Amino acid sequence: MQGIKRKLVYVTFYELIGLCMSTLGLAYLSDTQASHTGPLAVMITTIAMLWNLIYNTLFECWESRQAKRGRSVARRVVHAIGFQLTLVVYLIPLIAWWLDMTLLEALLVDMAFIVLVPCYTFAYNWAFDRIFGLPSSALATA
């Protein structure tokens, strides 16, 4: 599977799993009800989904210009950490506003996700590539 179809399948399943983790995790970490964090998790998921499409397109564009093909552990780690760190820029202010807390408090709440999401992203990407194969950007050229 390649192209936009691959990206849409990838991001849909990635974010559905992420939505479940976010709703429950935010409720636990902020000591509030899941009914209050659920809408926040939907907003986070929507932002993450849009950013995921953009980020993966940019990453695959960069990846296609690299001399070495394939997806090494190092490349997967860079991908996962890069995605999470850039996403935090958008999410911390949203979490602070929604949960009525300071940016520092929101950062502390989000710290668990900052650690968990790159691990989840790494594992998800590995499993996704095993199931659906590598994208054309990572395949060896003929």
Side-chain angles (χ1 to χ4, degrees):
M1 179 183 345
Q2 298 295 329
I4 192 68
K5 182 179 178 184
R6 177 187 172 84
K7 287 179 176 65
L8 290 174
V9 169
Y10 171 92
V11 77
T12 299
F13 286 107
Y14 179 90
E15 295 304 338
L16 283 173
I17 296 166
L19 176 62
C20 294
M21 290 187 332
S22 295
T23 298
L24 298 174
L26 284 169
Y28 176 76
L29 293 171
S30 65
D31 197 31
T32 58
Q33 298 293 321
S35 60
H36 182 65
T37 60
L40 175 60
V42 169
M43 286 186 273
I44 288 171
T45 298
T46 301
I47 291 167
M49 191 175 220
L50 292 171
W51 179 238
N52 200 324
L53 283 169
I54 294 165
Y55 183 84
N56 283 333
T57 299
L58 294 171
F59 186 86
E60 288 177 11
C61 181
W62 169 83
E63 183 177 52
S64 69
R65 294 190 312 267
Q66 302 310 301
K68 188 170 182 171
R69 296 299 187 156
R71 291 208 172 158
S72 64
V73 170
R75 191 170 286 182
R76 289 178 188 280
V77 167
V78 167
H79 177 271
I81 291 173
F83 174 73
Q84 184 60 28
L85 289 179
T86 54
L87 185 61
V88 165
V89 171
Y90 304 111
L91 297 185
I92 296 298
L94 175 63
I95 293 168
W97 172 74
W98 188 266
L99 296 176
D100 194 29
M101 58 179 54
T102 68
L103 291 173
L104 180 58
E105 290 169 326
L107 177 64
L108 293 174
V109 166
D110 198 40
M111 286 302 285
F113 292 103
I114 291 170
V115 172
L116 177 65
V117 171
C119 297
Y120 163 60
T121 301
F122 180 89
Y124 180 88
N125 285 337
W126 179 82
F128 190 88
D129 288 346
R130 296 288 292 182
I131 294 166
F132 295 102
L134 291 175
S136 56
S137 64
L139 294 174
T141 55

